[in-house]
Every structure is written in structure tokens, then in C-alpha cells.
Amino acid sequence: MKILVVGGGGREHALVWRLKQSPSEPEVICAPGNAGIAREVPCFDVAATDLESLAELARKQKVDLTVVGPEAPLCAGIVDLFQARGLKIFGPSKAAALLEGDKAFAKEIMSRHSIPTAGHRTFSELNAALIWARETVDYPLVVKAAGLAAGKGVVICRNPEEAEEAIRSMMEDQAFGSAGQRIVIEDFLVGEEASIIALTDGKTILVMESSQDHKRAFDGDEGPNTGGMGAYSPAPVVTEKLQSQIEREVLVPIVHALKHEGRPFSGVLYAGLMMTQKGPRVLEFNVRFGDPECEALMMRLRGDLAQALALCAEGRLDEADLSWSEEPAVTVVVAQEGYPGAVGSGRPIWGLDEVEESDDLRIFHAATRRQGSDWIASGGRVLAVTALGTDLAGARDKAYAAIDRLRFPGSFCRRDIGHRALGR
Ligand code: AMP
Ligand code: GLY
């Protein structure tokens, strides 16, 4: 089987690495990939959003299965396009991907089907949003751009002034482009977060092990929201009881709801959840693997991932067989200073080739390129250093020990990844 992985971040590097190790021994290629991925498999210089060229690549390369990493091509309809051309692809249709592509739609379908989530209002008019923010007394509240914003379009506001600033930046200054034309304002939820990621073909739901992301940029969960600064799996906050509650109250109903509303879902279903005193509440749905959760999950995954994704794309997920290492995994993201805002480009990373990688320690590349024999950072999140350990502290120490061997001026990472689980 020949597999094309679409994307070029740490998530795709982890997927490529794990797919390649599938017992069915698939041949793997990637587009566009990055310098780290290119060390493992052939990469093709086609952007993840250039759907026509990707379909052409899949045809020319005689690809048997395409696996899509990021949300943008899914929301733009890559699955519909490939299927129309008779190309097998793993992921949701454009109609089903709206679950991530439009937070207002996601909130509405959850309301219609009684899926537990924060109370909300949707606004498409600046003045109406401003008046509401001024008049409400329920602070803090959360202002979200309805469209895709790379995990950055969410602002927690402690008072009306902060809310006004967030609303104006999204609706007036278009900080997230058209993604902020409509906004969702929702109640602030208190609790610990977790990510539950499942494969589904619309009939069978195969729930993966739990994980936890670290959204804020800095230690102690300070600073702005990011795409994610680190992750670990499993997340002890998700007890067995909570896991089955989430399956029953969130995953099964949303898969059913989407089918019922004429948007049958196939692919990765990711529920970002807040474990509140009243039970789990959905913060967001994504229609692809989380990044960096995927890196931690891939480190622990056993079994034939290539076969499982192919079976899922064929509607035969019930035949798939995946299992998990008992050992926990930790991923620490190394980012360039300035992230999640603008970052410099062209900073060199020294020492990468001196770190000895193994099945217990992988440096997944999120944004690197080569310049001669040098490794150069080419984006905000640059590396996702991932380790497996006999316990969480051991995995964490292994990841940080690898990071400490790098010489990467102008970079930063959080030093407290795993603090919630370790503080229990
Ligand atoms: P989202 O992209 O909607 O998951 O939001 C990104 C992050 O913002 C979440 O992972 C939470 O840390 C935070 N967040 C989002 N919605 C809420 C909420 N209703 N209450 C508290 N925190 C939230
Ligand atoms: N790490 C969160 C996300 O991928 O959306």
C-alpha cells in the first residue's frame, strides 16, 4: 500500500513515522512535509491547500490512500474532490468538516442534540456583540472567532473592556481575516482540560487513549493561547468512568447527529473537553488529529495504523485492531520567540544530529528546512520532542534532556509540561 500524508508539521512527522512502522509495511510519501520528514520519506513540494495538485500527485504516484493532517484542506473539501476522482482518502467530507470550520455551527448542532457544552451566543454584527458584552455581568467570558484561526482565535475576557477589545480585533480589525466575521461568545468553564481523539467511519467509533494539551504559551498556563505547547498521554484526569461518559454523551451523539443532519462523518473526531464539576463539557470539536497530542499518541500506538486508516476510509473500521503501550508519552514543543505572534526566520538549530533518537525518543520536526548541512527554523512551532518513559516524570525528563542538548538561540519551550498529572 502506498500512502500520501498531507501536511508539514510535527503531527504529520509523527504520522509518517508511525505509518512507516505499520506491520503491513506501506510505502509512505508526504506533501509538502518539512526537512525532518524528508529525512524519512520522499516529500513533494505541493502545498496542503493546493487540492488540485494534491489529487494530481496522488494519481501520478499511484497512491492507494491519502491521509490528511491539517484542517484547512479538509474544510476546503479535499475528501470530496479525491472521492470524485476515485482516489481513496481518509478524512471527513467538507460538509462534515464544518464541525471544526465553523464554531457557530458546532455550537448549534450540539444544542440541537443536547451534547454538553458551554452556553453561548453567536454574533455577526459588531454593535450587537459590543452591546451584549457591555451589558452582561457574567465575566469572565470567552470570545471566539467562528472560523479557522489555527487555535489562536480564542480570547478569555475578564471584564467588558477586554471583551470589547477582543470583539473589535476580530470583527473590526479582522485579526483572523474572514474567520472573525462571525463570533461566538460563550460562558467560561472551570476545570481541567483533556483531548479525546477517536477514529470513526460513521458506524464504529474507535476511541484512542486520552491526552492533554498545554494551550497557553508560557509556564503556569500564562500568556496567549497557542496551537499547543506540549502534550502527554494518557491524561489521568480522564478516569475510565469519565471516558465512557464522554463516549456516551459526546462521541456517539455527535456522530449520530451529523449523520441525521446529512453530514455523515468519517475520519478523526477530536473532542476538546473541560472536565467541570458538573461533568465533561465540549470546548471544541476538531476533525483531525490534535497537534501536539498526535505526537504523544503516535509514540504509544501499537498495531497497524496504515491498515486501520485504510479500513476506516472503506467504512470497515470494525475490523481494525489498535493497541497502546502502557508507558506514558510526553511531547514538548520548542517554538521560536514571538510565537504565537510573528517570528523571525532563518534561525539555525545546532545539535540536532547529536541527539540519539530511538523508539523511546523522537524529535518530530514541525517547521524546519535545510540550508546546506544546517537545520534552519522555518515557523513558530519548530520541534516536538517526544519521549516514552516508565512513568510520566521519566518521559518528561527524557524529553527535556534531549532539548537541553540542542543549541537553538531565540527559541523557548514550556518547562512544566505534564504539571497537572504530576501534581496529582
Ligand atoms: P478552543 O479552540 O475553542 O478549544 O479554545 C482554545 C482554548 O481556550 C481551550 O483549549 C481552553 O483552554 C480555552 N477555552 C475555550 N473555551 C473555553 C470556555 N468556554 N471556558 C474556559 N476556557 C475555554
Ligand atoms: N492541540 C490542539 C489542536 O490541535 O487543536
Side-chain angles (χ1 to χ4, degrees):
M1 176 161 53
K2 188 164 181 178
I3 302 180
L4 166 64
V5 174
V6 174
R11 166 182 52 207
E12 289 75 27
H13 193 174
L15 285 171
V16 160
W17 172 73
R18 180 50 75 202
L19 281 167
K20 248 180 59 174
Q21 293 180 22
S22 299
S24 56
E25 296 184 14
E27 184 183 345
V28 182
I29 62 174
C30 187
N34 61 41
I37 299 174
R39 213 165 40 162
E40 308 210 18
V41 300
C43 288
F44 294 83
D45 190 18
V46 180
T49 45
D50 185 353
L51 309 190
E52 277 292 341
S53 305
L54 288 169
E56 190 53 23
L57 177 69
R59 192 187 60 79
K60 269 201 190 137
Q61 289 289 320
K62 299 193 165 50
V63 165
D64 300 298
L65 174 70
T66 297
V67 175
V68 185
E71 60 278 16
L74 295 167
C75 292
I78 190 172
V79 169
D80 311 67
L81 178 81
F82 271 54
Q83 286 175 345
R85 305 262 167 97
L87 296 163
K88 196 195 292 175
I89 184 163
F90 168 79
S93 67
K94 183 175 180 175
L98 203 63
L99 192 63
E100 173 164 4
D102 183 356
K103 285 183 190 286
F105 167 77
K107 296 299 286 193
E108 283 146 25
I109 195 168
M110 283 190 269
S111 305
R112 285 197 288 275
H113 297 267
S114 307
I115 295 169
T117 185
H120 85 287
R121 285 171 184 71
T122 299
F123 294 94
S124 47
E125 255 198 333
L126 175 68
N127 276 330
L130 290 176
I131 290 168
W132 193 82
R134 260 177 234 138
E135 290 180 353
T136 188
V137 289
D138 291 330
Y139 281 89
L141 53 72
V142 187
V143 177
K144 300 183 174 184
L148 293 181
K152 299 167 200 166
V154 173
V155 186
I156 292 161
C157 308
R158 284 164 301 186
N159 52 51
E161 292 70 40
E162 289 183 0
E164 172 161 351
E165 195 188 322
I167 293 167
R168 283 192 188 279
S169 95
M170 288 179 198
M171 300 187 88
E172 204 169 44
D173 309 336
Q174 306 197 354
F176 305 102
S178 61
Q181 274 171 0
R182 276 184 309 139
I183 61 168
V184 169
I185 300 185
E186 64 177 44
D187 301 340
F188 180 76
L189 298 174
V190 178
E192 190 172 335
E193 283 182 52
S195 306
I196 295 293
I197 298 178
L199 303 181
T200 180
D201 58 4
K203 298 174 294 211
T204 303
I205 301 174
L206 201 159
V207 187
M208 302 201 162
E209 293 273 286
S210 61
S211 56
Q212 189 175 76
D213 190 9
H214 298 64
K215 296 266 177 178
R216 301 298 195 98
F218 309 126
D219 285 14
D221 297 318
E222 301 284 341
N225 263 321
T226 69
M229 294 301 295
Y232 59 86
S233 169
V237 66
V238 186
T239 57
E240 239 169 79
K241 182 162 164 261
L242 277 173
Q243 174 111 6
S244 52
Q245 191 180 351
I246 292 161
E247 233 174 293
R248 210 171 50 243
E249 294 179 3
V250 176
L251 298 178
V252 172
I254 193 68
V255 170
H256 185 264
L258 286 162
K259 188 186 285 173
H260 182 75
E261 298 197 3
R263 302 169 186 271
F265 192 97
S266 172
V268 176
L269 182 59
Y270 163 136
L273 299 146
M274 187 73 88
M275 306 301 156
T276 73
Q277 297 243 297
K278 292 181 184 157
R281 297 282 181 276
V282 177
L283 293 172
E284 65 168 345
F285 281 115
N286 295 321
V287 300
R288 35 89 194 163
F289 282 106
D291 189 352
E293 291 96 323
C294 183
E295 289 90 313
L297 287 173
M298 288 306 117
M299 204 70 176
R300 298 187 57 218
L301 186 71
R302 301 291 176 263
D304 201 315
L305 180 64
Q307 197 185 46
L309 300 188
L311 285 167
C312 186
E314 291 165 14
R316 295 161 56 205
L317 185 60
D318 57 327
E319 294 169 43
D321 185 21
L322 293 176
S323 59
W324 299 89
S325 163
E326 290 289 320
E327 296 192 321
V330 171
T331 298
V332 181
V333 169
V334 182
Q336 294 202 75
E337 276 165 12
Y339 178 77
V343 297
S345 77
R347 285 194 180 111
I349 312 160
W350 290 295
L352 261 178
D353 296 320
E354 290 151 39
V355 176
E356 203 173 314
E357 292 185 70
S358 65
D359 283 348
D360 288 356
L361 175 73
R362 305 300 306 180
I363 300 188
F364 296 121
H365 290 222
T368 59
R369 62 186 170 82
R370 286 294 335 223
Q371 197 171 290
S373 59
D374 289 338
W375 294 98
I376 306 290
S378 60
R381 293 190 293 178
V382 180
L383 303 169
V385 179
T386 304
L388 206 59
T390 45
D391 57 18
L392 196 65
R396 175 201 58 184
D397 293 349
K398 215 180 286 176
Y400 282 120
I403 289 172
D404 290 339
R405 299 201 47 193
L406 302 176
R407 295 175 303 284
F408 183 5
S411 71
F412 74 102
C413 67
R414 278 184 60 163
R415 284 278 158 188
D416 63 348
I417 300 304
H419 69 94
R420 286 212 173 71
L422 291 163
R424 274 172 178 263

